[in-house]
Amino acid sequence: MLIRNATLADGRTRDVRVRGQTIDAVGEDLDPADEDTVDAADRLLLPGAIDAHVHFRQPGYGHKETWASGSRSAAAGGVTTVVDQPNTEPPTVDGTAFDQKVELAGESLVDFGINGGVTDDWEPAELLERPLFALGEVFLADSTGDMGIDADLFEDALVAAAQRDVTVTVHAEDASLFNRAARDRDDADAWSAFRTARAEAAAVERACEVATEHDARIHIAHTSTPEGIDTASDAGMTTEVTPHHLLLSRSDLDELGTHGRMNPPLRSEKRRRAVYDRVVDGTVDMIATDHAPHTREEKDASIWDAPSGVPGVETMLPLLLAEARTGDLTYERVRDLVAANPADVFDLPDKGRIEAGNDADLVLVDTDDVREITGEGLHSNCGWTPFEGFEGVFPKWTMVRGTVVYDSAEDTFWDQQGENVRA
């Protein structure tokens, strides 16, 4: 296939030739050579997004999401690689559980990595001999799945990971700094008042200290505070920010209700803006969604009983592209946040860039085709989004390793063997 006259994120117009699973050539005026040709004039061609933080819920919670439904949602949002977290049932803390998840992930339409988890029952010897994408997210406070661990076990995990040169992804919150007085409240903002910004900042600081002491590499998941971001950056560690912490704040909780409960929680509008500034200026390494779907029925509970988490894998890139149209982000920065930087941080040399020899993971968009985001228009099993009513720029098509896996024209999906898949 030859993609003609595509605009890349840096503003250059280039032809891109795809042969087999890889990008064969990138340049001006490539010879068509009797091959299928796509006219991409006035379209933006991006490397497929890498979402380094999703919860596709299998095994154990397929009513919330499956590898089939989650990967359709990813493909429809321009995400070509996902990284699944370990808090499933059973949790991915030993070799058997890892192997079980790999088998289930065979349903995925997009490429995937699988992280290993850490609990009192983990089996590091057999888990670390598997092809882990990373270790984590390692929970320093309880979240969905009750996988919070103590300081000694965290240190043991860092030592084991460092010996195998495995990155550790950290969910950094210090439960001893939660505001217990907030438990007397029942409003939607009570969760943010309870899991304080100070609890995240302190946990990031301590995690970085322990990692430095043991020469381990840690990546701080879903940083929601400027203090946490700055601490990790100063320590030479990497960070991710979610779209919800980038674009939503406690000011939105009256409308979101318990559908706005997640860990870490939404922060003040002032902190949200400070996080946004660090995403723009390059302090933050990547955007990842923490895609954590629950059903509407599960979320329709009290603020203390509703599960934490929101969906996001399908709306990440569309939201960022809409921001690039009108806000402080550029298309180049969006490309780096969702593709080039995750590929660098997690050592994926064949992904994240439109270069000859790389995997042909490509996303074609029309930046003038802006549409309103609705839960009904998305493909996750959960059927809702915290970004209801926001604007997004969605892909025209998404390609994984040279195969178009999603075409928006008829909302059609294919697997990587080119077989049609029902939505």
Side-chain angles (χ1 to χ4, degrees):
M1 174 188 291
L2 184 64
I3 305 168
R4 299 299 301 268
N5 301 314
T7 301
L8 305 188
D10 59 8
R12 297 179 302 159
T13 299
R14 291 290 185 270
D15 296 343
V16 177
R17 174 175 284 121
V18 174
R19 284 186 174 160
Q21 296 187 339
T22 62
I23 297 169
D24 179 66
V26 179
E28 296 180 86
D29 301 321
L30 296 180
D31 183 359
D34 297 324
E35 57 194 318
D36 292 338
T37 300
V38 174
D39 183 5
D42 300 321
R43 299 289 188 269
L44 180 65
L45 187 69
L46 295 165
I50 300 165
D51 189 346
H53 194 137
V54 305
H55 299 265
F56 276 1
R57 301 302 194 197
Q58 279 187 304
Y61 307 103
H63 68 286
K64 302 176 190 279
E65 197 76 283
T66 65
W67 278 93
S69 65
S71 66
R72 286 196 298 268
S73 197
V79 174
T80 56
T81 301
V82 296
V83 182
D84 194 64
Q85 306 304 310
N87 54 335
T88 46
E89 183 57 46
T92 318
V93 295
D94 56 37
T96 299
F98 182 90
D99 296 343
Q100 179 185 8
K101 185 172 283 189
V102 168
E103 184 173 355
L104 290 167
E107 295 291 316
S108 180
L109 302 185
V110 301
D111 283 350
F112 61 87
I114 294 175
N115 281 3
V118 180
T119 65
D120 289 333
D121 298 323
W122 80 311
E123 297 289 345
E126 60 185 55
L127 187 62
L128 288 167
E129 72 180 15
R130 262 57 176 190
L132 295 180
F133 188 91
L135 192 64
E137 63 185 289
V138 175
F139 293 87
L140 302 188
D142 276 335
S143 188
T144 302
D146 296 326
M147 291 181 66
I149 63 172
D150 63 24
D152 290 340
L153 183 52
F154 176 59
E155 190 165 358
D156 290 344
L158 285 184
V159 170
Q163 291 173 346
R164 299 291 187 98
D165 195 29
V166 173
T167 298
V168 179
T169 299
V170 180
H171 178 129
E173 290 183 280
D174 183 345
S176 71
L177 296 176
F178 289 174
N179 176 19
R180 305 296 165 183
R183 297 285 303 192
D184 295 331
R185 295 167 46 181
D186 60 6
D187 58 294
D189 185 62
W191 194 250
S192 290
F194 174 57
R195 297 179 82 119
T196 63
R198 187 164 65 103
E200 175 180 282
V204 172
E205 182 174 9
R206 181 55 184 154
C208 289
E209 289 173 352
V210 177
T212 300
E213 180 181 346
H214 293 288
D215 197 26
R217 290 182 290 120
I218 65 170
H219 172 72
I220 307 298
H222 42 52
T223 42
S224 64
T225 63
E227 298 92 337
I229 291 166
D230 291 345
T231 295
S233 178
D234 290 345
M237 307 303 170
T238 57
T239 58
E240 70 190 39
V241 164
T242 68
H244 47 271
H245 291 123
L246 181 70
L247 299 174
L248 300 171
S249 73
R250 293 171 77 167
S251 301
D252 296 294
L253 286 169
D254 283 345
E255 181 175 352
L256 289 170
T258 54
H259 285 70
R261 175 180 149 164
M262 74 284 291
N263 301 329
L266 296 179
R267 304 301 183 187
S268 68
E269 178 60 19
K270 181 179 179 180
R271 277 199 167 91
R272 183 204 70 80
R273 183 66 231 189
V275 168
Y276 190 107
D277 290 342
R278 285 157 174 77
V279 168
V280 171
D281 70 19
T283 307
V284 171
D285 296 277
M286 69 187 75
I287 302 293
T289 65
D290 193 11
H291 174 81
H294 302 279
T295 67
R296 289 180 183 273
E297 292 75 19
E298 290 167 334
K299 294 292 273 189
D300 286 334
S302 76
I303 192 62
W304 302 109
D305 295 326
S308 292
V310 298
V313 70
E314 189 168 344
T315 50
M316 173 178 70
L317 181 59
L319 285 164
L320 293 175
L321 291 174
E323 283 292 305
R325 283 173 45 86
T326 59
D328 296 328
L329 288 172
T330 65
Y331 292 125
E332 283 186 279
R333 182 69 180 132
V334 171
R335 174 203 63 195
D336 291 346
L337 285 164
V338 302
N341 289 356
D344 289 344
V345 168
F346 292 107
D347 193 24
L348 304 174
D350 297 329
K351 296 191 179 294
R353 291 178 173 84
I354 300 176
E355 296 178 354
N358 276 16
D359 290 344
D361 299 341
L362 300 169
V363 179
L364 188 69
V365 302
D366 178 355
T367 57
D368 291 327
D369 185 8
V370 181
R371 70 175 172 89
E372 182 178 320
I373 295 172
T374 66
E376 290 183 354
L378 302 176
H379 297 84
S380 170
N381 267 2
C382 72
W384 62 274
T385 172
F387 300 107
E388 189 81 22
F390 277 63
E391 290 188 337
V393 177
F394 286 82
K396 294 302 178 185
W397 52 253
T398 301
M399 174 184 290
V400 178
R401 295 179 183 258
T403 298
V404 173
V405 295
Y406 174 71
D407 190 326
S408 68
E410 297 182 1
D411 197 32
T412 306
F413 296 89
W414 293 267
D415 63 22
Q416 291 186 40
Q417 288 70 49
E419 296 295 326
N420 184 249
V421 178
R422 290 192 174 190

